[in-house]
Amino acid sequence: VVLAFGEAYPWGGGDVYWHRNQGSGYNGAQNVAHNVYTAGQTLHLRIEVRGDTYTAWANDSPTPTTSLTTAEFPAGRIALLDGVAGNTAFDNVFIQTLTNCEAGSGNEPVRIMQRPLSQTVEAGAAVTLSVAATGTGPLQYQWVRNGSCVPGATSPSYSFTASGASEGRYECTVTNACGSVGSYPAIVTVNGGNPPADVNCDGLVNNFDINPFVLALSDPVLYAQTYPDCPITSADINGDGVVNNFDIDPFVACMANGGCP
């Protein structure tokens, strides 16, 4: 089973649809969802596989974006076909085969109904991030900052005081008997915090930021471990909420200027 994101005939940009590949090529598009995303958008995607039913949610939609039931593929064999426009990126792609949540089991998987919201705040301000989820209880919560678990942050809400050290990307992982689902990330930016491209947090934008930037780009978890007091948002040079290849050219420009505009 292939979940496709298409810019090609016969479907227009922003469409999401299913193909079945039985070894001799793709059959026609099925269950097309139109205008799910726009060019240049960052996509958050979650796919549930329950028996022979595949269901996809895009960008934490509370209702399924599209689904497909096919008896030919009951084992959860799935692939993504990336036919999106330039500058469109995928982030937080979850594919779950819910073996403990088959129809009739009485168990419902976790579904994120309300995600934490990105915020820009002043240093010293109180920040609260919240998530709302449904699913067969008990539900367990774990907040994650820059890829690392936040100790003791195991409730639907997480509060802290804004500072340069608390800037970053926050997600909440919610778990029940069916498995775990991560929320769409919230980016917390603190005015007066660490400047963009100062990825090693020494107060300067220079050649010593190159290796930390590459690490943030290639291994966010190791970056958080190596620079625990540095917000990974300093590597999000283009400000789209994601550290990826689209930040490379802006980073080079910042390096050439000794700082970002």
Side-chain angles (χ1 to χ4, degrees):
V1 172
V2 176
L3 182 62
F5 299 79
E7 306 299 332
Y9 177 85
W11 311 112
D15 293 342
V16 179
Y17 49 91
W18 301 91
H19 284 300
R20 290 181 295 167
N21 187 333
Q22 297 171 312
S24 57
Y26 298 114
N27 63 1
Q30 296 180 275
N31 302 349
V32 181
H34 297 284
N35 302 316
V36 173
Y37 63 93
T38 57
Q41 183 179 359
T42 297
L43 292 172
H44 172 60
L45 180 67
R46 180 168 62 88
I47 301 169
E48 285 180 4
V49 183
R50 302 181 78 182
D52 58 5
T53 298
Y54 298 74
T55 307
W57 284 261
N59 293 334
D60 278 341
S61 169
T63 56
T65 301
T66 180
S67 63
L68 176 70
T69 299
T70 172
E72 292 95 337
F73 299 96
R77 291 177 291 174
I78 186 168
L80 302 180
L81 177 60
D82 176 5
V84 299
N87 296 328
T88 305
F90 292 92
D91 184 37
N92 281 30
V93 177
F94 291 88
I95 301 176
Q96 296 179 293
T97 300
L98 302 174
T99 55
N100 295 326
C101 292
E102 301 290 350
S105 68
N107 290 329
E108 286 297 322
V110 172
R111 295 191 175 98
I112 304 290
M113 306 304 292
Q114 175 184 312
R115 62 183 177 91
L117 300 178
S118 295
Q119 303 179 38
T120 298
V121 298
E122 300 296 326
V127 178
T128 297
L129 301 173
S130 298
V131 68
T134 63
T136 301
L139 301 181
Q140 298 176 316
Y141 300 84
Q142 176 63 64
W143 287 90
V144 177
R145 173 181 175 265
N146 296 341
S148 297
C149 293
V150 179
T154 55
S155 299
S157 294
Y158 173 54
S159 298
F160 56 93
T161 299
S163 68
S166 64
E167 277 191 311
R169 170 188 171 121
Y170 288 84
E171 302 153 81
C172 187
T173 300
V174 187
T175 303
N176 72 355
C178 299
S180 299
V181 173
S183 71
Y184 191 75
I187 306 300
V188 175
T189 303
V190 180
N191 290 331
N194 206 57
D198 178 19
V199 196
N200 66 352
C201 295
D202 65 355
L204 302 171
V205 176
N206 55 29
N207 288 344
F208 295 111
D209 292 297
I210 295 175
N211 287 341
F213 175 77
V214 172
L215 185 61
L217 189 68
S218 60
D219 193 336
V221 173
L222 183 57
Y223 173 82
Q225 295 171 348
T226 307
Y227 302 94
D229 295 326
C230 286
I232 199 170
T233 50
S234 296
D236 177 22
I237 314 301
N238 66 356
D240 67 353
V242 184
V243 177
N244 57 26
N245 289 343
F246 299 122
D247 293 299
I248 295 175
D249 287 346
F251 176 75
V252 172
C254 293
M255 292 291 298
N257 295 325
C260 299

